[in-house]
Amino acid sequence: MGRAARRLTPAIAAAVAAALVVAGCGLGSPSPSPAPTASPFVPPPAPTTVDALACIDIGAQECEQLAGRILAGLPGIDGQPFSIRINLGACLDDGDDCPRSLLDRLGTAIVEYPDGGEAILFELQGPPAEPVIDRNAEVDWTDPIPPGSPPVEGDGPFDFEVGHCGLLHVVDFDGSFWVLVGDYEGDHPALVNSEHGSIDLVAPNRARYVGPDDEPFDLVRFPGSKRFQLCD
């Protein structure tokens, strides 16, 4: 009996070796596949530009960089904002000669969505490289208001009366509201006061206002209804 077992040992060893070779070649029992995992949600990229950017008392490059930061941090509101207006205030040290920068001034930014959508006011504080951007939730905005002006006929320029709160408030012309675009000095009377001038269409959605001092202001047609801050 023991001698028979010793004679069978080489055969058993060969069988075991063959089985190991088969398993190593992948011909044995298949290994279980890993369970599929759901793809992680990737949010759409934040917008980096808007149709109209107005920069008041702030350098153009800093204004564009600040607008990009504001856009990247907007709250979860559907759709793309239409316009941003960034205003810097007076010098913090009460002087008249300081840079047009958050380095020496406080500021605000208004973000507006088209067709009567959201309007948001942010309060801004330097330094420019890492600004503090806080939403002011206490601002009173009107409900969406539709424009009331009729479409213009014929060739311009057309006489235009700026309202008592200036070009930074209500500009209603050719059946639409309009918002400023470009870089401006904040102490110009046309921005915050009433005056009589002329306005002309320079493209279907672009207009230019010129006041008594012949300084031009460029505007972009705002789509649909619009919200406004109350103006004294």
Side-chain angles (χ1 to χ4, degrees), residues 30 58 76 82 137 174:
I58 180 172
F82 180 81
D174 190 38

Side-chain angles (χ1 to χ4, degrees), residues 80-118:
Q80 164 92 5
F82 180 81
S83 63
I84 295 179
R85 189 183 83 222
I86 296 175
N87 295 61
L88 296 192
C91 298
L92 292 174
D93 61 1
D94 296 327
D96 295 327
D97 185 18
C98 66
R100 301 169 70 225
S101 168
L102 274 177
L103 186 67
D104 295 279
R105 305 168 185 248
L106 300 178
T108 60
I110 293 179
V111 178
E112 295 181 285
Y113 286 75
D115 301 316
E118 292 286 341

Side-chain angles (χ1 to χ4, degrees), residues 29-51:
S29 299
S31 301
S33 300
T37 57
S39 299
F41 171 73
V42 179
T48 56
T49 60
V50 287
D51 293 87

Side-chain angles (χ1 to χ4, degrees), residues 66 105 126 156 172 184 222:
L66 189 53
R105 305 168 185 248
D172 191 349
Y184 300 99
F222 191 88

